[in-house]
Amino acid sequence: MPRVTIISSDCHAGALPVTYNEYMPRRYHEAANAWWIGYAREMYARAGTFFDQEAVETYAEQVGEGGGRMRAFSDPGTRLSDEDVLGMLSDASSPFAPRRGEFDATVRIRELDADGIAGEVIFPQMAPFGAGLMQYRFPVTPEQSFVGCQAYNRWLADLCRANPQRHAGVALIDVEDIDASVREIRAAREMGLWGGVLLPTSTGAHPFYHHPRYEPIWAVCEELDMPLQSHSGWSPDYGDVPSATAMFISEVDMFAQRPFTALLWSGVFERYPRIRYMLTETGVGWVVEKLRVLEFKAANPMFRHFRKGLSLSPSEYFARNCFVGASFMPEHEGRFRHQIGVDRLMWGSDYPHLEGTWPNTMQSLGATFGKYPEDEIRAILGLNAVKGYGFDPEAMQAIADRIGPTVAAIRGET
């Protein structure tokens, strides 16, 4: 039997900060460097870490608990210069640098191979000026935000070119100037980014995604066969109180789930029947209850007018237009697979984040999928992503036959 094609629907990549300067005009370099420095100092002061895939414990092992260069980022008595901060964040050998596979294509492929992953969908890790994330702590101008999106997309396109069949890069946009964003979507597709378009979770001072101002984005995404993407990672500013991080972690999924309702009721799925919408790292079980509530609203006589102009029910739109990027899918979330639709779920490793399955993917797969029928294993682990994103099935199978696991191995039978 052919080995299982595994495609991770949720991976991340980002360059070292100074690298992005190679992808933007020189006049933005000083402001971009200043943004990275301010971000690093603030993030350490608030959370003790900079790149969100690195655990505080990892830093403690490298530089000593609460001391050394960690403390120097914010302690006035041992404060590092701005030049030192930027140098440390841009030095691949620094203890503050992310894992090399996040920005080095050769290391990345080696680690994906070792994990049995044939293909991946790549989301941003961090872009210059916090572009596309509607940063509220570190305000930037609309011009800077857009330049940051462009720089990230151009860098990611270069990374993906090393293995274009294996990397489906997701383009970053903001929603300040819709016409400019449409042009950037076209440019990203021409550069080889075919993993979709990441919608900012927040639209800032602009209306949300039910508003007609976003119509050109929906149109170009259907035209170019670029999936729409939501991914958790943003929430409102909960301030500096001790419970702020706990609030962020508790509610971050919810805000990434919101665009689904806007796209549904505003008729985006009706007007653009070929558009695909991916909800990645937003959880799984919530879909069942959300669709139950939406079906109730749509069928209730008091609210039936909500469906004016909509030819399908909420569940029917979901089944036709939507996929769930089920990041590091645990066993309990798999119990919802038949209610949601086995053909709608796409497993993700969240590489290279510590909360994901890398580098212990096989153990994780066995725990969740060990008792699944073979057709469900193959669908959720890879074939649904082939269909949802347009990976070349023959190319993916050839890679899987070299590095992928057998069904028996996933079940722990060998």
Side-chain angles (χ1 to χ4, degrees):
M1 293 293 291
R3 291 178 177 263
V4 177
T5 296
I6 299 181
I7 297 174
S8 173
S9 67
D10 183 20
C11 291
H12 295 265
L16 294 172
V18 171
T19 303
Y20 289 116
N21 288 348
E22 302 171 17
Y23 296 87
M24 67 174 72
R26 182 179 297 274
R27 64 182 181 276
Y28 296 103
H29 292 185
E30 182 178 355
N33 292 345
W35 187 90
W36 287 111
I37 293 165
Y39 178 81
R41 292 193 188 281
E42 177 73 13
M43 287 302 292
Y44 172 71
R46 296 177 63 206
T49 185
F50 312 106
F51 296 93
D52 67 4
Q53 82 280 17
E54 298 288 357
V56 175
E57 289 79 5
T58 303
Y59 286 120
E61 292 173 1
Q62 293 172 329
V63 298
E65 184 68 42
R69 286 178 288 182
M70 289 176 69
R71 185 179 61 206
F73 269 78
S74 59
D75 188 333
T78 56
R79 187 178 177 87
L80 293 174
S81 70
D82 286 351
E83 292 76 13
D84 285 340
V85 171
L86 188 64
M88 292 170 67
L89 294 179
S90 300
D91 179 357
S93 65
S94 166
F96 301 110
R99 293 187 179 87
R100 193 168 192 97
E102 186 175 308
F103 56 88
D104 185 318
T106 300
V107 173
R108 188 179 192 91
I109 284 295
R110 183 168 66 239
E111 293 180 342
L112 291 176
D113 282 359
D115 232 18
I117 295 174
E120 62 170 344
V121 180
I122 303 179
F123 288 88
Q125 177 58 39
M126 180 58 73
F129 301 113
L133 299 179
M134 305 302 295
Q135 289 288 338
Y136 45 82
R137 285 276 173 151
F138 311 97
V140 299
T141 67
E143 181 182 9
Q144 290 171 336
S145 176
F146 185 71
V147 167
C149 289
Q150 289 182 310
Y152 178 81
N153 292 341
R154 281 144 184 73
W155 173 83
L156 180 61
D158 278 353
L159 180 79
C160 291
R161 286 190 191 102
N163 300 277
Q165 291 180 313
R166 299 184 69 171
H167 304 312
V170 177
L172 191 61
I173 64 169
D174 63 23
V175 293
E176 294 295 331
D177 183 330
I178 298 302
D179 290 339
S181 293
V182 168
R183 291 192 296 270
E184 182 58 21
I185 292 170
R186 291 189 181 279
R189 188 67 183 86
E190 290 174 1
M191 288 187 294
L193 300 182
W194 48 277
V197 176
L198 182 60
L199 295 178
T201 304
S202 169
T203 56
H206 300 291
F208 202 56
Y209 292 119
H210 60 291
H211 195 277
R213 79 185 294 264
Y214 304 102
E215 201 74 10
I217 291 179
W218 319 143
V220 73
C221 285
E222 185 181 64
E223 175 194 341
L224 299 179
D225 200 25
M226 290 278 273
L228 295 172
Q229 294 275 10
S230 284
H231 191 290
S232 65
W234 179 93
S235 78
D237 183 2
Y238 291 115
D240 292 323
V241 297
S243 60
T245 301
M247 285 292 293
F248 169 81
I249 294 299
S250 298
E251 297 190 348
V252 66
D253 291 352
M254 177 181 68
F255 290 99
Q257 297 163 6
R258 284 190 69 216
F260 169 69
T261 310
L263 298 175
L264 169 71
W265 291 125
S266 63
V268 173
F269 299 136
E270 177 72 21
R271 295 189 299 280
Y272 303 98
R274 294 185 292 105
I275 210 163
R276 285 159 293 150
Y277 177 46
M278 318 306 204
L279 293 128
T280 303
E281 202 175 344
T282 62
V284 171
W286 69 272
V287 174
V288 176
E289 178 62 11
K290 173 62 73 173
L291 291 178
R292 185 196 69 78
V293 171
L294 293 175
E295 289 291 332
F296 169 78
K297 303 291 186 184
N300 191 300
M302 290 181 60
F303 309 119
R304 195 169 296 167
H305 62 280
F306 289 175
R307 288 190 58 181
K308 183 179 180 181
L310 304 182
S311 62
L312 301 179
S313 71
S315 294
E316 289 170 333
Y317 283 121
F318 182 87
R320 187 187 71 183
N321 296 87
C322 300
F323 290 83
V324 176
S327 306
F328 42 88
M329 180 174 154
E331 181 183 5
H332 73 274
E333 287 191 335
R335 298 170 188 167
F336 298 104
R337 67 189 187 277
H338 295 122
Q339 294 167 273
I340 294 172
V342 171
D343 65 331
R344 299 292 100 185
L345 293 173
M346 305 179 299
W347 173 88
S349 70
D350 202 26
Y351 171 88
H353 291 179
L354 284 179
E355 67 267 28
T357 66
W358 178 85
N360 303 303
T361 290
M362 286 305 300
Q363 296 93 310
S364 176
L365 296 184
T368 297
F369 298 95
K371 297 181 180 179
Y372 281 28
E374 179 177 346
D375 61 333
E376 294 186 4
I377 291 174
R378 292 186 181 276
I380 297 173
L381 291 186
L383 298 185
N384 291 343
V386 167
K387 176 176 62 177
Y389 285 100
F391 284 90
D392 183 330
E394 294 182 359
M396 290 296 98
Q397 188 61 60
I399 297 169
D401 288 340
R402 178 172 57 84
I403 66 167
T406 63
V407 172
I410 290 174
R411 290 174 173 164
E413 297 171 354
T414 59

